[in-house]
Amino acid sequence: MLIAGPAGAAPLDEKLQIDIAFVAHSRPPSPPFVIDPPPPGEGFAGARLAVQENATTGGFLGQNFTLTDVELGEDDNPVEAVKALLDKGVRLFVVALPADEALALADAVRPVGGLVFNAEAPDDRLRGVDCRANLFHTAPSRAMLADALAQFLVVRRWSKILLVSGPGAGDALFAEAFRASAKKFGLRIVAEKPWTYGPLARARSDAVTEADALTFSRGIDADIIVVADEADDFGDYILYRTSEPKLTAGTQGLTPTSWHPTHTAWGAEQLQNRFVRMSNRRMRPVDYQAWVATRAIGEAATATRAADPQKISAFLQSPDFNLAIFKGAPASFRPWDRQLRQAILLAQPKSLIGMAPQPGFLHQRSTLDTLGVDESESACKAKQETR
């Protein structure tokens, strides 16, 4: 006798196949002066751990999870790379790709009902004017990261900011996000300085000191320097090299992040240990974000007992979905832009300093919605699709 599940679900004695693909570019070898280079398999390792965890519950329900690693070369097109998988029926994609490529992949798989989970790109436009109904985000947006930092500065009453941004496109976007956060939470940017001294953080330790770089903050009455340096070219150089003693935060120094090796509360230590046993290295933010995406797929497939991407999508955006992600509060997806609600850690290299939302920051729906773009401010017009 067949025991039927929810409408459209597989009977319990039939094997339900849930196929997931992880798509990312291979990491090129880092120069010798990079102290903490991205490891091979970054992101995929997190997804692999999540598939193992999905299988623990799924095995009892007759569900079989598979994970395919699509490793792209530097110039490979992800849309072309997944065509063979689409032909085989794969419709669920976790990606660690730049914004434009994640967007192109979401558009390419949409006609066949595919879903894409962005585990890397922080670009706010992917949650705004360029959002897609089939594109979910487990990577925090720059707005969320900047808001987390701004809340911490407000609580500390470090309200006068010197903002230093580099020449990269990501630097400009992070600086833009922090300006918006400063306005939102009442911080004052007393001065802005472009970084024009080159990648001094990557210089040899015996390189000639750049005297101008040591005095760029002189005479500015600021409590803290916020740096926008997503390429790691100069942010670490600033620490202890300014003419007056200044704290540093942003992309270096005190950084807002989804995950950190020193985070051990709320069961996070167990997740850290499982990852280390599997991968022989520590979990990094992209690993964590890919783990969350793959676990979310698993939770949705378990709850709906279905592999249909549209059923998974609908469940993820429903009030019934929440996911334990080891940060004190269960995560859920914002239905207006499909961004994962999550707490943001604030850490320096070897110490966890705090977590946002900070106490006292309230919201009518969820304190997690104090981080990032709220529904009334969202430029996303892509609504949930039903097929």
Side-chain angles (χ1 to χ4, degrees):
M1 180 179 67
L2 300 183
I3 303 175
L12 288 180
D13 61 350
E14 288 185 9
K15 204 73 170 175
L16 180 67
Q17 186 71 27
I18 301 102
D19 297 316
I20 305 167
F22 179 82
V23 186
H25 289 278
S26 59
R27 307 290 189 185
S30 297
F33 53 74
V34 176
I35 302 299
D36 185 26
E42 184 181 27
F44 177 71
R48 185 159 64 98
L49 178 62
V51 162
Q52 293 177 6
E53 296 174 0
N54 289 348
T56 301
T57 301
F60 292 105
L61 299 176
Q63 296 175 337
N64 184 52
F65 290 86
T66 67
L67 179 66
T68 301
D69 185 16
V70 181
E71 188 174 51
L72 307 172
E74 181 179 357
D75 299 320
D76 286 350
N77 184 331
V79 173
E80 294 297 322
V82 304
K83 283 184 175 178
L85 290 174
L86 290 173
D87 291 341
K88 294 178 181 178
V90 178
R91 298 292 184 266
L92 301 167
F93 298 88
V94 178
V95 306
L97 296 171
D100 286 340
E101 293 185 1
L103 196 61
L105 187 59
D107 287 340
V109 304
R110 180 177 175 271
V112 295
L115 299 181
V116 175
F117 293 79
N118 165 32
E120 183 172 71
D123 301 64
D124 289 289
R125 66 184 177 91
L126 293 183
R127 292 89 168 158
V129 294
D130 289 334
C131 71
R132 298 292 189 269
N134 67 329
L135 180 58
F136 290 76
H137 309 278
T138 56
S141 65
R142 287 189 181 93
M144 292 172 66
L145 299 174
D147 281 355
L149 177 58
Q151 286 188 11
F152 179 84
L153 298 181
V154 168
V155 170
R156 285 287 192 265
R157 298 185 180 179
W158 299 337
S159 59
K160 295 180 291 186
I161 314 298
L162 167 58
L163 179 59
V164 180
S165 56
D171 302 340
L173 291 171
F174 186 88
E176 179 183 356
F178 185 79
R179 290 187 201 101
S181 297
K183 182 178 180 180
K184 179 178 178 179
F185 294 110
L187 299 173
R188 185 158 63 98
I189 298 175
V190 297
E192 291 195 36
K193 293 271 189 175
W195 183 263
T196 59
Y197 309 106
L200 295 187
R202 298 191 174 199
R204 286 161 48 94
S205 59
D206 59 353
V208 176
T209 298
E210 293 283 344
D212 289 341
L214 298 179
T215 61
F216 79 100
S217 64
R218 180 173 292 170
I220 298 174
D221 180 21
D223 296 318
I224 191 167
I225 298 173
V226 172
V227 294
D229 172 28
E230 293 193 351
D232 289 325
D233 280 338
F234 66 88
D236 286 315
Y237 178 89
I238 292 177
L239 279 74
Y240 304 106
R241 287 190 171 93
T242 52
S243 55
E244 299 94 2
K246 298 289 184 185
L247 296 169
T248 303
T251 52
Q252 286 78 29
L254 177 69
T255 58
T257 180
S258 67
W259 195 249
H260 196 267
T262 60
H263 176 47
T264 57
W266 296 294
E269 186 171 8
Q270 285 70 39
L271 178 61
Q272 302 268 24
N273 291 339
R274 291 198 300 272
F275 185 87
V276 169
R277 285 195 297 269
M278 186 194 73
S279 301
N280 295 315
R281 63 173 178 83
R282 295 192 181 277
M283 179 177 265
R284 296 163 66 97
V286 175
D287 296 310
Y288 175 72
Q289 290 151 199
W291 175 85
V292 172
T294 310
R295 283 289 295 118
I297 293 170
E299 285 291 305
T302 296
T304 62
R305 296 219 305 272
D308 179 3
Q310 299 311 310
K311 289 184 173 62
I312 288 174
S313 175
F315 180 76
L316 292 177
Q317 296 175 74
S318 75
D320 296 327
F321 172 76
N322 63 76
L323 182 67
I325 60 170
F326 304 103
K327 290 197 285 192
S332 59
F333 285 99
R334 293 170 178 154
W336 61 88
D337 62 2
R338 288 154 289 279
Q339 169 66 56
L340 187 81
R341 295 181 176 100
Q342 59 177 305
I344 300 296
L345 309 179
L346 293 149
Q348 54 113 328
K350 292 188 177 181
S351 177
L352 185 65
I353 305 301
M355 178 180 289
Q358 293 284 314
F361 290 87
L362 304 178
H363 191 277
Q364 68 271 23
R365 185 172 33 246
S366 166
T367 57
L368 294 174
D369 284 341
T370 64
L371 304 176
V373 178
D374 206 353
E375 184 172 15
S376 62
E377 305 162 334
S378 176
C380 178
K381 304 301 182 186
K383 305 303 181 183
Q384 180 177 332
E385 291 183 345
T386 56
R387 297 173 66 86

